[in-house]
């Protein structure tokens, strides 16, 4: 299953239903196939990467925050860019402090890299 929003999910077998109320059915069959194929191709890759990284709850929340404050592709205002940069820096600083106290700076830096790569993979896969 692929959670498209906080309250809804998709799976390959539900791709047909996703376009069931589409007002213009002229390309619905192609859209269903594209969505189905995307889910079949990318979701298993993401699952493997999540399993490999195995984020704990705090790390998962940090990843959500980092993803939400990644606004570079949205043509944001300068104010939003500044806020996003500040919030991402705060999230990474909090992770760094926590890792420094638990697993050490070197392992913590590596762990942050793993999490950032996973966040990036979600962004790349969803494009």
């Amino acid at each position: 299953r692929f959670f498209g929003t906080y309250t809804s999910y998709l799976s390959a077998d539900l791709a047909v239903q996703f376009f069931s109320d589409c007002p213009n059915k002229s390309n619905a069959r192609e859209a269903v196939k594209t969505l189905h194929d995307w889910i079949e191709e990318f979701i298993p890759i993401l699952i493997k990467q999540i399993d490999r990284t195995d984020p704990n709850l705090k790390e998962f929340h940090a990843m959500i925050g980092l993803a939400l404050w990644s606004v570079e592709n949205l043509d944001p205002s300068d104010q939003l860019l500044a806020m996003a940069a500040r919030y991402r820096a705060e999230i990474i600083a909090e992770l760094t402090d926590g890792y420094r106290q638990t697993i050490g700076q070197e392992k913590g830096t590596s762990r942050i890299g793993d999490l950032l790569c996973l966040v990036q993979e979600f962004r790349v896969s969803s494009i």
Side-chain angles (χ1 to χ4, degrees), residues 69-88:
W69 287 108
S70 294
V71 297
E72 290 77 16
N73 296 333
L74 300 177
D75 192 27
S77 68
D78 290 341
Q79 182 181 7
L80 182 58
L81 279 173
M83 281 177 40
R86 185 176 75 237
Y87 290 139
R88 284 192 317 262

Side-chain angles (χ1 to χ4, degrees), residues 22-56:
C22 182
N24 181 353
K25 304 274 188 205
S26 65
N27 63 351
R29 185 175 301 199
E30 183 178 336
V32 167
K33 181 179 178 349
T34 300
L35 180 59
H36 179 275
D37 293 350
W38 181 87
I39 292 170
E40 289 289 316
E41 181 178 350
F42 287 109
I43 298 305
I45 293 169
L46 291 174
I47 289 170
K48 286 179 188 175
Q49 290 177 329
I50 291 169
D51 287 345
R52 182 183 55 79
T53 305
D54 193 23
N56 63 33

